[in-house]
Amino acid sequence: MNNTKEKIIKNALKLFLQKGFDRTSMNDIAKSVDISKPAIYHHFESKEGLANGVLDYFAEVMRDWSIKNFRTCKNTYERIKFSFESIKRFHEVEKLVLGEEISYKYSFNDFIIIASKNSENFRKKMKEIVMRTLEVGKMNIRKGQESGEIRADLDPDIIALQMHSIIEGLSVVAAADTLLNLDLIGAKMFKQFWLQIKK
């Protein structure tokens, strides 16, 4: 990805998080990047196309982050434990994507929900990301079953979905309860979850 395109994507995301997706115009984005509006259209054909670019960038950052962090995990137990330990990071994913420790008015989840309502294509791309995440989770559960860490009678599809739902659901809970200690609750959730699935 070239520097201008990445700059447009990052500035667009910042504005989506500051003002909201619906309230951000292509003019706003052009001004924030200090380029002309036609220059943005050289890279993205529309605001919807730019939203898709943000989503692609998010998927790339998360893939790189996952490869870097999960490679040190030696087994299924450690991979699942690390996933639950990362709940706070997943909740504040905009900080991970932008590389800044800044809080915004809107969350990345807010952006996804609004952009999904506005674009069938965006919703399909988001579904693909979720399905890839679930597929990785299923493979991890199967490996745990093969190694004898996880009960063989459990359905890997359901366990992966359950785990994903817990982690994503806690983001919603944390948005409502800003005092929730996600590090502590993540550790407790992992212990309970592991007790249910371990052999």
Side-chain angles (χ1 to χ4, degrees):
M1 182 180 298
N2 68 46
N3 289 340
T4 302
K5 192 171 183 179
E6 184 173 352
K7 190 175 179 184
I8 292 168
I9 285 170
K10 284 187 167 183
N11 278 271
L13 178 55
K14 286 177 188 179
L15 286 170
F16 295 157
L17 299 176
Q18 288 165 359
K19 299 178 67 172
F21 180 72
D22 288 338
R23 294 183 192 94
T24 302
S25 69
M26 292 297 264
N27 279 330
D28 294 332
I29 296 163
K31 285 179 188 174
S32 74
V33 183
D34 197 26
I35 61 173
S36 68
K37 192 173 170 183
I40 289 184
Y41 285 114
H42 172 72
H43 296 282
F44 301 99
E45 74 281 0
S46 63
K47 188 174 163 184
E48 177 186 334
L50 182 47
N52 288 336
V54 169
L55 194 55
D56 290 338
Y57 184 73
F58 158 78
E60 182 183 319
V61 169
M62 290 307 296
R63 185 189 65 241
D64 292 347
W65 181 86
S66 296
I67 290 168
K68 177 184 172 188
N69 288 282
F70 282 94
R71 77 169 58 149
T72 59
C73 298
K74 298 178 186 74
N75 51 39
T76 301
Y77 173 88
E78 288 186 5
R79 283 188 290 274
I80 293 176
K81 185 173 187 280
F82 182 76
S83 294
F84 278 90
E85 287 172 349
S86 301
I87 285 175
K88 184 173 182 181
R89 207 51 166 150
F90 298 147
H91 173 63
E92 299 173 339
V93 73
E94 56 275 1
K95 295 178 181 180
L96 181 62
V97 173
L98 292 171
E100 302 174 340
E101 289 298 318
I102 299 171
S103 293
Y104 294 94
K105 181 177 180 181
Y106 298 97
S107 70
F108 194 81
N109 284 337
D110 294 326
F111 159 67
I112 288 171
I113 291 165
I114 298 301
S116 291
K117 288 181 178 178
N118 289 322
S119 166
E120 178 68 25
N121 188 36
F122 185 94
R123 188 166 43 253
K124 285 179 182 175
K125 285 177 84 73
M126 192 61 223
K127 181 181 177 182
E128 288 170 12
I129 291 170
V130 171
M131 297 312 289
R132 281 197 304 268
T133 302
L134 288 173
E135 194 56 44
V136 170
K138 288 181 224 175
M139 288 189 320
N140 190 32
I141 299 300
R142 286 189 195 107
K143 284 180 184 176
Q145 289 174 321
E146 290 165 9
S147 68
E149 295 174 84
I150 294 176
R151 288 169 36 200
D153 63 311
L154 299 176
D155 182 341
D157 290 7
I158 297 300
I159 298 302
L161 181 59
Q162 183 182 13
M163 182 175 156
H164 184 75
S165 299
I166 291 168
I167 292 170
E168 289 294 323
L170 275 172
S171 282
V172 176
V173 174
D177 182 358
T178 56
L179 298 178
L180 190 68
N181 184 330
L182 287 175
D183 291 326
L184 180 62
I185 200 73
K188 287 183 175 180
M189 283 281 194
F190 165 71
K191 285 181 183 175
Q192 185 65 41
F193 185 77
W194 187 254
L195 283 174
Q196 293 170 0
I197 68 169
K198 74 172 187 172
K199 189 168 181 183

